[in-house]
Amino acid sequence: MTKTPITIAKGDGIGPAIMDATLEILEASGAQLEFEEIEIGKAVYERGVPNGIEPGAWESLRRTKVFLKAPITTPQGGGFKSLNVTVRKSLGLFANVRPCVSYDPFVKTNHPNMDLVIIRENEEDLYGGIEYRQSRDVMASLKVISRPGTERIMRYAFEYARANNRKKVTCMSKDNIMKISDGLFHQVFDEIAAEYPDIENEHMIIDIGTAKVANRPDMFDVIVTTNLYGDIISDVAAEVTGSVGLGGSSNIGTDFGMFEAVHGSAPDIAGAGIANPSGLILGSIMMLTHIGQGDAASKIHNAWLKTIEDGIHTGEIYREGVSKEKVGTEGFTKAVIERLGAKPEKLTPKEYPNIAGGIKLPPLKDPVEVSKKRVGVDLGLNWYGTADELADKVQTCVNDNLKLHIISNRGTKVWPEGQPETFCADNWRLRFIADDGQEVKTSQVIALMHRMNEADLNFTKSVMLHDFDGKPGYTVAQGE
Ligand code: NAD
């Protein structure tokens, strides 16, 4: 078997210790790997590289397309960019996959039957980092959900379920409130689910879904959700398993995979020899399945399960009466290596196929053409008076069919006929709509803005309003 080159980075804090442990186990398992080491993290940030990864390291990553990464310490203070976000975005790692499993009765948990996988969209949503300060008092973030981005994550979730013999996919969103962005996420889920009749599907609102994960995790199999909800719910789920330190995760792109532990660099215990290497070991098992070395993956996973089952535990999961021996990083590593070839007796043994390349997705569906008509514009303004005073001033600038329709503040209608109790901040949204159903011309909007500018009105933003196939591509304000 030819060796598969992979890029590794030892990171910071406990990173080097848990990476050395993982590499030792990989070598002992007979996995056919060739390691290329790159430097990432604190030292690189401190050399003045704002994203914590040396420019030369990209060459190795692009060539091997497989990255086993130890945690890093993110420096505090401004000017630094998240290394994880940079790597995810640069390499198009659109899916984050996090299995959350309980190992009852060997690791303490209130939920013995938990075995779920969270598939989190990794590139879009509020993590696009598109934020604005709009006025003295108002800040805003833009949530971006695209049809192709959503189609890809939904298909990945169903393909993952099929490949891993999972029976159900649950989509979580908040489309009762964000009807357009989360609404698309839910709609595309339904469309893709229809192509997988062999897999059960359901949708839950994220708040009740998160509560259920915390209380009845056994209800779930595969969960697919957006970037922000996925970030939160995967920590809830990891906590419910009984030990965040035991989680591995993968970030998957069309032809790239990054594999890591869920936890951070634990600077508080760095150098003490007590770190649990399990998160990175489980990450490396996901890596082996991704590159088609299923035999080595099964061998390591079963040895690891047997070690846990035999009660050989690091300090943070050690429990009197259940654990047999308290070990440090080295002792745990040795115990796993000694058990290579053995299978767990109580926990379920693992068997991975030798299929390389991970999950292959079919090409995206062709886009469905829609008719688009400009029907108005929303203009943002700073204003320090009342809504009625603002409306009076703006009405003097309106001289054609593009009429002032409503004024809203923080999303709530305040004119006409606003409620006196509504609190108003200093950034206002004015909605202008053509009152005769005619398509609005860009030149009309520019002329309106010109007249408002002459009247000393202070813009913060403008957004064109469109109907798509006759349906509004914008939401109405609360109270409208
Ligand atoms: P952390 O996960 O590093 O530590 C939280 C607690 O869990 C600590 O008490 C720690 O000792 C313990 N812990 C974590 N992993 C352990 C292990 N393997 N064995 C035993 N105990 C373990 O989270 P934090 O303290 O919030 O963050 C520390 C640093 O890690 C920060 O700089 C943070 O930005 C970074 N971080 C990096 C990544 C990553 O690189 N993927 C992820 C999360 C946090």
Side-chain angles (χ1 to χ4, degrees):
M1 193 181 197
T2 54
K3 291 192 171 192
T4 306
I6 64 163
T7 305
I8 60 159
K10 294 193 174 180
D12 302 311
I14 60 170
I18 61 172
M19 180 60 88
D20 287 344
T22 305
L23 297 183
E24 231 181 284
I25 293 168
L26 286 169
E27 299 253 3
S29 75
Q32 294 300 302
L33 303 168
E34 210 170 84
F35 304 114
E36 293 184 13
E37 188 173 345
I38 60 167
E39 202 192 344
I40 58 166
K42 198 156 172 274
V44 183
Y45 279 112
E46 284 169 1
R47 282 206 293 274
V49 182
N51 58 21
I53 180 161
E54 284 291 0
W58 293 103
E59 190 277 320
S60 169
L61 289 172
R62 293 216 161 85
R63 185 162 32 76
T64 66
K65 302 190 190 311
V66 184
F67 187 20
L68 182 63
K69 173 183 161 292
I72 60 149
T73 302
T74 318
Q76 299 296 308
F80 299 111
K81 287 197 187 133
S82 158
L83 179 129
N84 266 2
V85 175
T86 304
V87 173
R88 272 182 211 154
K89 293 220 158 174
S90 308
L91 302 173
L93 307 181
F94 64 86
N96 177 259
V97 182
R98 257 200 217 192
C100 300
V101 184
S102 57
Y103 302 100
D104 183 77
F106 309 104
V107 179
K108 189 175 162 30
T109 171
N110 294 328
H111 300 286
N113 300 319
M114 176 169 187
D115 182 1
L116 61 84
V117 179
I118 295 173
I119 297 186
R120 162 186 168 194
E121 196 289 315
N122 230 354
E123 293 181 299
E124 303 194 339
D125 192 7
L126 286 159
Y127 285 47
I130 308 169
E131 296 199 300
Y132 301 98
R133 180 168 183 168
Q134 296 184 324
S135 63
R136 186 193 63 198
D137 294 342
V138 177
M139 323 287 147
S141 297
L142 198 62
K143 172 164 181 153
V144 179
I145 304 282
S146 77
R147 176 172 269 279
T150 306
E151 184 184 321
R152 209 154 55 158
I153 196 72
M154 293 311 175
R155 207 175 275 292
Y156 185 84
F158 281 97
E159 289 291 334
Y160 180 95
R162 230 178 223 174
N164 291 279
N165 204 19
R166 301 256 173 187
K167 307 285 176 244
K168 182 169 80 171
V169 179
T170 307
C171 173
M172 295 196 191
S173 79
K174 188 83 183 168
D175 63 332
N176 54 334
I177 302 294
M178 280 155 281
K179 295 187 166 63
I180 294 187
S181 53
D182 281 28
L184 175 71
F185 198 76
H186 185 170
Q187 184 191 330
V188 175
F189 171 73
D190 288 343
E191 289 169 15
I192 301 296
E195 295 179 32
Y196 296 82
D198 50 322
I199 294 164
E200 205 187 318
N201 70 80
E202 64 180 358
H203 176 269
M204 278 190 190
I205 301 295
I206 184 67
D207 37 13
I208 188 66
T210 309
K212 292 273 183 232
V213 166
N215 198 37
R216 286 281 320 278
D218 54 301
M219 284 172 55
F220 298 99
D221 201 348
V222 175
I223 295 172
V224 62
T225 189
T226 64
N227 208 339
L228 175 64
Y229 309 144
D231 196 359
I232 298 166
I233 201 173
S234 47
D235 271 17
V236 172
E239 192 69 34
V240 173
T241 63
S243 173
V244 179
L246 296 188
S249 101
S250 64
N251 290 277
I252 302 290
T254 35
D255 62 349
F256 198 99
M258 175 170 93
F259 305 86
E260 59 184 339
V262 167
H263 60 76
S265 60
D268 53 334
I269 57 163
I274 58 171
N276 187 345
S278 296
L280 195 60
I281 295 171
L282 293 175
S284 76
I285 292 167
M286 295 171 92
M287 176 190 79
L288 289 172
T289 63
H290 177 82
I291 59 175
Q293 298 196 23
D295 289 343
S298 313
K299 203 166 164 188
I300 297 175
H301 208 155
N302 289 328
W304 181 84
L305 288 166
K306 182 89 173 82
T307 308
I308 295 292
E309 196 176 270
D310 286 347
I312 300 175
H313 293 168
T314 45
E316 91 295 354
I317 58 166
Y318 184 88
R319 205 160 46 109
E320 282 302 333
V322 175
S323 308
K324 298 268 165 26
E325 192 187 340
K326 192 189 273 185
V327 287
T329 316
E330 268 182 35
F332 188 84
T333 309
K334 193 165 153 271
V336 174
I337 291 172
E338 279 167 6
R339 285 164 180 74
L340 287 169
K343 288 204 170 150
E345 282 146 35
K346 301 212 175 70
L347 297 169
T348 315
K350 297 283 177 184
E351 196 70 59
Y352 297 105
N354 290 312
I355 303 167
I359 290 164
K360 289 271 175 265
L361 299 184
L364 291 170
K365 290 188 199 174
D366 288 335
V368 178
E369 291 308 325
V370 285
S371 70
K372 182 173 158 191
K373 177 181 166 194
R374 190 181 306 111
V375 295
V377 63
D378 273 358
L379 297 176
L381 280 182
N382 283 177
W383 178 255
Y384 293 92
T386 66
D388 287 344
E389 287 162 1
L390 177 58
D392 288 347
K393 188 157 180 163
V394 171
Q395 293 290 26
T396 64
C397 307
V398 172
N399 70 358
D400 61 8
N401 64 335
L402 194 53
K403 295 287 190 303
L404 180 61
H405 179 63
I406 59 151
I407 301 177
S408 63
N409 194 298
R410 299 188 305 159
T412 302
K413 186 188 86 166
V414 291
W415 181 95
E417 292 154 21
Q419 303 294 335
E421 293 81 11
T422 306
F423 177 81
C424 290
D426 60 352
N427 190 60
W428 307 69
R429 183 173 56 144
L430 291 81
R431 175 160 292 174
F432 297 87
I433 300 268
D435 66 350
D436 55 4
Q438 293 297 306
E439 169 121 33
V440 172
K441 297 191 189 76
T442 311
S443 56
Q444 269 180 281
V445 174
I446 293 169
L448 172 68
M449 290 179 78
H450 179 68
R451 292 190 295 275
M452 289 171 70
N453 183 50
E454 296 283 293
D456 270 343
L457 289 161
N458 186 357
F459 295 110
T460 56
K461 74 172 195 175
S462 64
V463 180
M464 296 293 189
L465 304 177
H466 294 96
D467 282 356
F468 291 86
D469 286 343
K471 290 196 199 119
Y474 50 93
T475 49
V476 297
Q478 280 153 25
E480 190 175 342

